[in-house]
Amino acid sequence: MDTNETKNEIQELMTKSDAVYVSTVLDDGFPLTRAMLNLRDPKKFPGLAGFMKKRRELFFTTNTSLPKTAQIAANPKVCAYFCL
């Protein structure tokens, strides 16, 4: 499988996943994983489809008062997991 095929498969997985599982690192060094909305899903978010297709980075929406925002600010090592 070449690089372009791999990129296309990844893009397809990202658009088909119902949710994205995002892990942050807590103060004690342990991960905390939670499900978040997949903004790349064109069925759920058709208005974002064109914008997301042109981007390599991941975008999430959340309330800035939630603990995950402070966790990411303290340690930006974040994992995003897409699955079918």
Side-chain angles (χ1 to χ4, degrees), residues 30-69:
F30 286 92
L32 176 64
T33 303
R34 80 275 285 154
M36 295 187 70
L37 295 173
N38 180 9
L39 300 178
R40 288 184 177 268
D41 183 342
K43 292 176 191 163
K44 292 181 184 173
F45 302 99
L48 293 175
F51 175 80
M52 291 297 184
K53 191 170 187 170
K54 297 176 188 175
R55 303 296 188 282
R56 293 181 64 192
E57 55 274 83
L58 300 177
F59 292 87
F60 300 99
T61 181
T62 191
N63 187 325
T64 56
S65 66
L66 293 174
K68 69 178 147 255
T69 315

Side-chain angles (χ1 to χ4, degrees), residues 1-10:
M1 182 179 301
D2 68 22
T3 304
N4 285 332
E5 279 182 289
T6 302
K7 287 180 182 179
N8 289 337
E9 284 193 22
I10 291 169

Side-chain angles (χ1 to χ4, degrees), residues 15-16 26 41 49 59 62 82:
T15 60
K16 288 183 176 181
L26 300 175
D41 183 342
F59 292 87
T62 191
F82 292 83

Side-chain angles (χ1 to χ4, degrees), residues 21-25 31-34 71-72 77-81:
Y21 298 91
V22 177
S23 298
T24 57
V25 181
L32 176 64
T33 303
R34 80 275 285 154
Q71 292 161 7
I72 294 169
K77 293 179 181 174
V78 176
C79 176
Y81 180 74

